[in-house]
Amino acid sequence: MGGKQSHSFSNKELNEVSVSQRRKSAIRDDQPSLSSAAERIRKNTTVHFGYSTLSLAMRGLGETPAELWELRELQKLNLSMNCLCSLPPALSALNNLVILNLWGNNLTSLPPEIGLLKKLRVLFACRNRLREVPEELGSCTCLEVLSLANNQITSLPGSLAAMHNLTKLNLSHNRITHIPTCVYNMKGLVFLHLACNRLETIADQIQDLVNLKILIVEGNSIHTLPKTLCFLESLELLNVDFNELQNVPVELYLLSRLGKLACHPMDKGLHIIHNPLLKPIKEVLRGGLSALYNYLKPT
């Protein structure tokens, strides 16, 4: 496929094939006319759990093939672990995408056109070189999982406050000094990962994330925890290790679902012992979480 076929194609068809190998294919009223190169890419698609899926992971790609954007039926696209520095505006043509994996590239930005992917539910853009996120990403209101970990991000645009369906947000290993205001509006969040940033405080608005079950802020420079954090009664894992905490809020005993002091990073429970805690809290913790809660509870 893609070789010389002048005896079986009309001049018009030959012209369409040669042009569309470098450009988006011509579109009829309801059906895209695919180039031969696009057809070769399509042969690599599979149906995975009912989704039209294409993986171009670990191909050493420095840029995406132009013909890729002709495959408008794609729902899952994996471009992870390549050498991509940018994505073209033509990304918006894949408006049926549900999952987009950009993990492990050299992306310095995401195109504004990503906001046109209205069906997108999962976006992995971790381990790139992103310094910021486009305002237009806030238009992807169906997003449920967003990972921007291991980048160079300092904040998020306010438009992301519209992501009311987001349940998992990973912003770990960035350069964030304050939890972005928009995060406190993501009321559906169950998982929030902010480890290894430059946080010094957690705002009182953290209490607005009433569905939060997992909060990870280890490896920052947090001095105190707000008492409003203790109103998140659904919390099952709270990791505040490797900060600068010397004390805990008296209301901490309200977090009854934590259950125990935890050691391994993703174990449920309270991760806190790796802090410069002062007496008597440090000594009380030797008896476990129940001992701490008994100490904090009003008599």
Side-chain angles (χ1 to χ4, degrees), residues 272-284:
I272 195 171
I273 60 174
H274 297 291
N275 278 283
L277 294 164
L278 300 176
K279 297 179 180 179
I281 297 298
K282 183 176 181 180
E283 294 178 337
V284 171

Side-chain angles (χ1 to χ4, degrees), residues 40-87:
R40 287 197 296 273
I41 296 176
R42 174 181 267 173
K43 286 184 177 180
N44 292 297
T45 63
T46 60
V47 176
H48 188 248
F49 292 107
Y51 291 98
S52 175
T53 303
L54 175 65
S55 178
L56 295 177
M58 297 186 289
R59 302 292 182 93
L61 298 176
E63 60 181 20
T64 51
E67 298 81 14
L68 171 61
W69 315 118
E70 298 179 43
L71 305 181
R72 298 186 177 185
E73 74 278 7
L74 277 184
Q75 295 171 292
K76 293 184 178 182
L77 176 60
N78 186 352
L79 292 169
S80 66
M81 300 179 69
N82 281 292
C83 305
L84 302 175
C85 294
S86 63
L87 293 173

Side-chain angles (χ1 to χ4, degrees), residues 189-192 209-216 229 231-239 254-271 289 293:
L189 279 183
V190 174
F191 175 97
L192 178 57
L209 302 181
V210 294
N211 294 302
L212 206 59
K213 292 184 177 181
I214 298 175
L215 175 60
I216 304 172
L229 175 64
F231 302 150
L232 299 178
E233 297 182 0
S234 295
L235 270 185
E236 298 176 358
L237 189 160
L238 174 59
N239 191 337
L254 296 173
L255 298 177
S256 59
R257 295 194 181 184
L258 292 181
K260 64 178 182 179
L261 290 181
C263 298
H264 298 292
M266 292 304 294
D267 276 357
K268 290 184 178 181
L270 176 63
H271 303 248
L289 189 62
Y293 281 8

